Amino acid sequence: MARIPSAVVAASGLVGGYGVARWTRKRQLGGAVLAVAGAAAAQQWRRQAGDRAAVALSVTYAAAFAGSHPLARKVGAWPAVFGVAGAVALASWAVADRRG
């Protein structure tokens, strides 16, 4: 089975979580998508780059989610979500995926 890069998992969690919350109108369901993808990415980060990197990237993931809210007021919801998802994907690739 092909391995999905952690950058893709993390970015998909942010984009998918927002999309599910928006289209179902159930924020909790979107939060579940966000949490499951974040946990899956964190496991990959720990395996690929170690505990410290996994913690740092998990904090980045959570900060991106939180930061997308005020950013959305300035640039719109989808651009904010795609922007933070891209930033998390880049950080994930640089710290974990690039090595493997």
Side-chain angles (χ1 to χ4, degrees):
M1 179 184 237
R3 184 181 69 82
I4 299 171
S6 62
V8 173
V9 174
S12 297
L14 289 161
V15 173
Y18 175 69
V20 166
R22 181 173 177 135
W23 287 315
T24 65
R25 298 180 187 224
K26 298 194 184 304
R27 293 177 66 160
Q28 299 86 351
L29 191 55
V33 171
L34 180 80
V36 168
Q43 285 183 332
Q44 283 186 264
W45 293 329
R46 186 171 43 255
R47 273 196 315 270
Q48 292 173 267
D51 290 338
R52 293 175 95 187
V55 168
L57 287 168
S58 294
V59 168
T60 302
Y61 184 80
F65 167 70
S68 69
H69 292 83
L71 182 60
R73 289 188 205 104
K74 296 179 187 212
V75 300
W78 280 112
V81 170
F82 284 127
V84 300
V88 168
L90 182 61
S92 181
W93 175 83
V95 172
D97 293 336
R98 176 174 62 157
R99 301 173 187 231

